[in-house]
Amino acid sequence: MSPGLLYALAGMLLFVMGLAGFALLRHLLRRLMAFNLVGSGTFLVLVGLAQRPDGEPDPVAQALVLTGIVVAIAATALALVLMRRWFDLTGRTRLDGEADE
Amino acid sequence: MKAGVVTVLALLLGGILAPVVVAVASADPGTSLHTLVQTRLEASGVEHPVTAVLLNFRAYDTLLEIGVLVVAGITGMSLSRAGARAEPELRSTNTLLHALARWFVPLMLLLAAWLLWAGSHRPGGAFQAGAVLAAAGVMMRLTGLPTAWIAPGPMLRLGLSAGFSVFLLVAAVGALTGRAFLAYPPLLSGPLILVIETLLTLSIGMILLGLYVAAAQRDGADE
Amino acid sequence: MTLNLLVAGLLFTPLAWAVVSLLIGFRAGRWLAGAGMVLQAGVTLGLVWTLTGQGGFEYALGDWQPPLGIGLRVDGMALTLVLLTTLVASACGLHAAGYLEADRPGQRYFWPLFWFLWAGINGVWLAGDIFNIYVGLELVTLAAVGLVALSGEPPALRAALRYLFAALAGSLAFLLGVALLYGAYGTLSLRLLAEAVQADGTGSAALALMFAGLAVKTALFPVHAWLPPAHGIAHAPVSALLSALVVKASAWVAIRLWLDLGPVLGSSGGAFLMGLLGTAAIVWGSWMAWCQTGLKKLVAYSSVGQVGYLFLLFPLTFAVSDRVAELATQGVMLHLISHALAKAALFMAAGNLIWAVGDGRIVSLAGAGRHLPLSLFAFGLAAVSIMGLPPSGGFTAKWLLLQAAWQAGQWGWALAVLVGGLLAALYVFKVFAACYVDKASGDDFHYPPRRLDLMPLGLAVMALGLGLVAGLPLHWMGIGGAP
Amino acid sequence: MAELLLDVLLVLALLSTASAALLSRDLFRAVVLFIAFGLLLSLSWVRLHAPDLALAEAAIGAGLTGVLLLDAVSHFRGRREVE
């Protein structure tokens, strides 16, 4: 088994685990961490699969993942601003438990 | 109940995806972008292939991605209303941290500059450097060093959009001089990429730091 | 040369306007916005003119040809959607200029987010590279979330967080599909992928992941729950933008992927499932719209239903005759356009009505029929297209879809189209019934500025008239990409 | 062979820290595990010959995200949560 495939499979598992966590967890901060795990898993798949059996790394895949990491931190930081403000105004760390209105 | 259903679905998804991942890994795509990057590397103006892809071959992705960062920064600012600026509780009184910060902040600034410079010919670049800058800012903030410049205001707005603006201008100049949008003038691509990266570093650092500060502000309930 | 300038202008204007309006305030941003809209309109018309003259083309950004660089696919469908965006976003922007209070603290950030959203949407219409689609969709999502959260009130924050989480999960599912396709075929260009893909489980699994992600972002039943709060809570012109254009962006990506890769990677089971979910969305969204007590929530649930029609594309283009596939594609695209026009008009008219009566409940609209005839008129005209009555664009779109279903012998989808129209009539009349209840007590109406009626009215007239001139957009959309 | 063993161990460590971060009852602990996950991921990028990503992951993924998350935990802890 090539290292690329190994990490890609690990990434796939992380994706599935993170998604399950995303569906089950209710605490906003935990959901955010689950989202980041899903992202990391996706990035591992992207780079792992782009690596050829001879071990040559693919600069394009790496550039894509670098873009992905920056998008992820932007989304994470934005989500944190939103949830901290939500917490300040309502004292709650989760969204469910009340109607939309 | 719900946990069980989700677990079963997750196992199912994993069971479907695992053979797909294995199949893709063993497949041989006819084309390889890797060799294409190598053959065109010289024309890109930088020696490091990842930087060449990010700032030249696929610069449009990067432009939009910086846009995503700026949007996050804007939204952060829009939610941190005027008022609570320098909050005393944010500062740590830990003297060890203070001592560390006096050494660390200049070191981190140096590291950021090195990462930025390295990006043209070896691993490193604007994103890593910007993140280090932001971390230096976080440390300054934690230890109570002056950080008034990061409060929402004209300075911050200018700073967080500077890198994006210069990138966009260079892109437009390409079109105005008869080439495609985002095409660099043939001989200037190296220096232009360095200029763009320098300003991007500053902007990325400011955006990330600005979001940190915006998250740390609170008002309303306390006042 | 001109082509370079036109494409560059299209991409440059909204991004540049976003940055400049960040540096100036909300009031100055209004004037700037006007100039930007004029410029954008000029560039769009220039591109449409080029398209009709010489056909579509692929534009290599930075002069790097795909697969190394990123190509934009400037063809009939994409440009028609760019034109739609210019119309709808301009109307929403002009409405917002008068609708939003200029002096609220966070308001200066409206224009930058608005322009970034516009830039992102245009980017998605034109994208010809699957990773670029991901970045474009993220730009759209974050700008849209920022606009929803703009008021900073708890319900808005809650809706924004739900929206953000759902959209991010959707993006990552899409990105995993991109990773698999890139690993398998070594290219990100949609055009080259369409040439390279082979019918095997790998590609189909990747495509399924991408559709799952896009379904979440488009709020397809049953993953639609994030949409009504987000679209219901935002300022009216923002809701209009979100319902008219933002959900369409991800739907469009699904449509384009399906038209390009579906013939090889699709399966009749998958296509049927998408059609089934679309049908469920039509019924459930329309029913829930009828159940609402809040005006904007009703309009938002109507979007959940209307989005469902777009997914009838899948079964009606898979393994059918070319004629049926063409009819179905035309019907779905025309529905996308007419719904964008009509729904933007509905939201803006609803905003005016709410401004006038001072609260968002449908029962509070009593007496509005006497006091706000123009807003209500716009609401009614747009509703004609939503219900699918002639001569509206909604009618022509449904007519095309009915023909496609008829010729394909797939009766079920025709039934879905007809039931959807009836249910839409129900919730529209619920609003009108409330408006014409005579109110006994005094008149505490606050008249919104007259000019705010113009934008919904203009779009509603366009949605209504679209059916009469449907040949023109259909002709444009028939123009292909690279020769 | 030794290299493959290293990779396998690293992957196992990645998966176990990730699941521990998801399952941990204590929020602070979960965040610390998440940061550890980021550092391990950074090592994985080194193993995949992606030093740019290793740098970015260490600085952004583990470093900055970690600071933001830790800060948020202490913020949430600062005031009693209304259940």
Side-chain angles (χ1 to χ4, degrees):
Chain A
M1 183 188 268
S2 71
L5 175 57
L6 180 68
Y7 285 100
L9 279 175
M12 191 276 291
L13 281 176
L14 280 172
F15 180 91
V16 174
M17 264 167 48
L19 216 55
F22 200 75
L24 288 175
L25 296 170
R26 283 287 157 259
H27 192 290
L28 285 169
L29 213 53
R30 290 177 186 272
R31 296 194 80 186
L32 189 61
M33 280 192 273
F35 154 73
N36 270 287
L37 290 181
V38 176
S40 300
T42 312
F43 300 152
L44 273 176
V45 174
L46 185 48
V47 171
L49 287 183
Q51 204 178 38
R52 290 298 115 210
D54 55 7
E56 254 327 283
D58 179 354
V60 176
Q62 295 190 15
L64 301 185
V65 168
L66 207 49
T67 304
I69 291 178
V70 175
V71 170
I73 177 82
T76 304
L78 176 60
L80 276 170
V81 174
L82 287 172
M83 62 180 69
R84 286 178 73 148
R85 184 129 189 108
W86 163 254
F87 175 78
D88 286 341
L89 294 178
T90 64
R92 296 161 55 83
T93 58
R94 49 192 74 198
L95 292 178
D96 53 355
E98 64 178 38
D100 290 331
E101 271 81 13
Chain B
M1 175 58 198
K2 195 184 173 196
V5 174
V6 170
T7 313
V8 169
L9 285 177
L11 286 175
L12 206 66
L13 183 64
I16 295 170
L17 286 180
V20 172
V21 169
V22 173
V24 171
S26 56
D28 179 37
T31 55
S32 171
L33 284 189
H34 177 218
T35 43
L36 211 51
V37 171
Q38 287 300 341
T39 50
R40 298 294 171 82
L41 191 56
E42 215 163 301
S44 75
V46 287
E47 293 160 39
H48 185 51
V50 177
T51 308
V53 173
L54 275 176
L55 281 137
N56 204 336
F57 303 142
R58 294 184 67 90
Y60 184 51
D61 273 347
T62 310
L63 182 69
L64 292 187
E65 166 215 341
I66 305 298
V68 171
L69 261 182
V70 175
V71 165
I74 291 171
T75 310
M77 278 196 293
S78 82
L79 288 172
S80 68
R81 298 288 147 75
R85 261 207 198 149
E87 275 190 66
E89 63 166 307
L90 256 177
R91 296 181 188 159
S92 159
T93 45
N94 190 332
T95 46
L96 179 68
L97 195 62
H98 271 267
L100 274 177
R102 282 184 52 197
W103 287 100
F104 259 56
V105 170
L107 268 180
M108 285 165 107
L109 295 181
L110 271 179
L111 177 64
W114 185 80
L115 279 172
L116 171 64
W117 171 244
S120 63
H121 50 278
R122 61 167 77 200
F127 303 107
Q128 295 90 340
V132 173
L133 267 193
V138 169
M139 190 158 261
M140 285 175 73
R141 174 111 187 152
L142 283 175
T143 50
L145 291 167
T147 52
W149 44 273
I150 202 70
M155 273 302 287
L156 182 61
R157 289 199 291 271
L158 194 65
L160 68 77
S161 60
F164 182 79
S165 313
V166 170
F167 201 168
L168 189 63
L169 278 178
V170 172
V173 167
L176 285 175
T177 52
R179 282 179 299 276
F181 189 64
L182 276 165
Y184 298 103
L187 292 171
L188 288 175
S189 47
L192 278 177
I193 286 178
L194 193 64
V195 169
I196 291 173
E197 281 215 278
T198 310
L199 283 160
L200 279 184
T201 304
L202 292 175
S203 286
I204 290 169
M206 267 187 123
I207 292 169
L208 294 176
L209 186 58
L211 279 164
Y212 168 78
V213 175
Q217 273 183 349
R218 63 158 89 157
D219 66 354
D222 299 270
E223 283 159 23
Chain C
M1 179 69 196
T2 7
L3 211 59
N4 262 334
L5 286 180
L6 286 175
V7 175
L10 189 69
L11 302 176
F12 176 81
T13 323
L15 290 173
W17 259 243
V19 180
V20 177
S21 49
L22 177 62
L23 302 178
I24 60 181
F26 180 78
R27 284 171 204 279
R30 289 199 281 224
W31 295 106
L32 188 74
M37 289 164 189
V38 171
L39 207 59
Q40 198 70 359
V43 175
T44 311
L45 290 177
L47 278 170
V48 172
W49 178 259
T50 316
L51 175 87
T52 51
Q54 62 179 60
F57 54 92
E58 185 176 62
Y59 185 85
L61 286 156
D63 277 332
W64 298 109
Q65 297 294 331
L68 182 62
I70 298 173
L72 295 181
R73 270 172 64 174
V74 192
D75 62 6
M77 287 209 212
L79 272 186
T80 309
L81 293 174
V82 168
L83 182 63
L84 172 76
T85 307
T86 306
L87 281 173
V88 173
S90 297
C92 293
L94 292 173
H95 190 259
Y99 188 84
L100 301 181
E101 299 160 60
D103 298 320
R104 292 190 47 158
Q107 220 69 301
R108 66 173 310 127
Y109 300 107
F110 170 78
W111 289 115
L113 292 172
F114 169 82
W115 284 108
F116 267 121
L117 187 72
W118 191 335
I121 290 171
N122 270 348
V124 173
W125 301 142
L126 294 169
D129 177 290
I130 50 177
F131 187 80
N132 189 239
I133 290 176
Y134 163 77
V135 182
L137 285 176
E138 290 297 59
L139 183 57
V140 170
T141 299
L142 262 73
V145 168
L147 285 170
V148 170
L150 204 59
S151 77
E153 305 293 328
L157 292 173
R158 179 190 156 84
L161 270 169
R162 276 186 84 169
Y163 180 16
L164 181 63
F165 273 135
L168 289 178
S171 305
L172 288 178
F174 181 84
L175 188 61
L176 188 62
V178 171
L180 292 175
L181 283 181
Y182 180 64
Y185 299 106
T187 182
L188 295 159
S189 154
L190 198 49
R191 178 172 59 81
L192 296 175
L193 272 174
E195 291 168 10
V197 287
Q198 284 147 10
D200 58 13
T202 314
S204 303
L207 201 61
L209 274 171
M210 293 164 106
F211 283 144
L214 292 169
V216 175
K217 286 178 98 85
T218 315
L220 174 64
F221 180 88
V223 279
H224 61 279
W226 61 265
L227 185 145
H231 291 200
I233 210 84
H235 297 300
V238 172
S239 307
L241 272 176
L242 296 182
S243 257
L245 299 175
V246 171
V247 288
K248 303 298 170 20
S250 45
W252 161 246
V253 175
I255 291 172
R256 181 144 253 185
L257 283 175
W258 178 254
L259 293 180
D260 279 357
L261 307 178
V264 180
L265 296 180
S267 66
S268 52
F272 184 77
L273 177 68
M274 293 296 254
L276 209 59
L277 292 179
T279 306
I282 294 172
V283 175
W284 179 254
S286 309
W287 169 253
M288 285 301 286
W290 187 75
C291 295
Q292 296 306 307
T293 52
L295 180 58
K296 282 181 68 194
K297 265 297 193 50
L298 179 146
V299 182
Y301 265 108
S302 155
S303 286
V304 173
Q306 296 288 314
V307 154
Y309 290 101
L310 303 177
F311 289 84
L312 297 182
L313 175 82
F314 290 78
L316 288 176
T317 50
F318 191 77
V320 293
S321 68
D322 285 352
R323 176 69 189 138
V324 172
E326 191 193 357
L327 280 174
T329 311
Q330 289 183 335
V332 163
M333 291 304 291
L334 204 60
H335 176 76
L336 192 158
I337 293 169
S338 59
H339 178 250
L341 294 168
K343 189 49 66 74
L346 279 187
F347 263 123
M348 287 190 274
N352 292 348
L353 290 169
I354 292 172
W355 177 320
V357 300
D359 93 80
R361 287 172 303 145
I362 294 173
V363 285
S364 313
L365 291 174
R370 241 174 339 119
H371 292 87
L372 275 173
L374 214 52
S375 282
L376 210 57
F377 183 55
F379 196 93
L381 289 186
V384 168
S385 186
I386 296 286
M387 291 184 283
L389 299 179
S392 68
F395 168 75
T396 312
K398 282 179 181 159
W399 181 243
L400 288 166
L401 282 173
L402 284 177
Q403 274 182 288
W406 171 283
Q407 292 189 16
Q410 303 185 24
W411 294 89
W413 311 128
L415 195 65
V417 170
L418 292 174
V419 169
L422 286 177
L423 286 171
L426 274 184
Y427 60 72
V428 166
F429 281 111
K430 178 173 174 174
V431 175
F432 275 89
C435 286
Y436 285 98
V437 169
D438 247 334
K439 201 156 125 184
S441 58
D443 294 333
D444 46 351
F445 280 94
H446 319 271
Y447 288 98
R450 263 292 154 81
R451 62 179 189 281
L452 289 188
D453 282 331
L454 292 178
M455 281 66 83
L457 201 60
L459 290 185
V461 167
M462 281 187 223
L464 192 71
L466 181 64
L468 301 174
V469 294
L472 194 60
L474 289 179
H475 166 67
W476 288 336
M477 287 192 283
I479 301 174
Chain D
M1 196 58 217
E3 295 218 330
L4 187 63
L5 192 68
L6 183 65
D7 284 330
V8 170
L9 283 177
L10 192 51
V11 160
L12 289 178
L14 266 182
L15 292 174
S16 48
T17 34
S19 46
L22 285 176
L23 295 172
S24 169
R25 294 204 153 243
D26 180 47
L27 190 60
F28 179 74
R29 218 178 122 84
V31 170
V32 171
L33 283 164
F34 180 81
I35 295 171
F37 170 82
L39 293 173
L40 287 170
L41 188 59
S42 174
L43 279 182
S44 310
W45 293 130
V46 174
R47 294 289 308 144
L48 281 166
H49 308 287
D52 291 272
L53 298 182
L55 280 172
E57 192 69 51
I60 301 177
L64 210 61
T65 313
V67 172
L68 285 171
L69 288 174
L70 281 177
D71 206 46
V73 174
S74 65
H75 181 69
F76 288 162
R77 287 256 173 99
R79 290 168 57 194
R80 195 165 46 81
E81 183 182 341
V82 185
E83 277 297 331

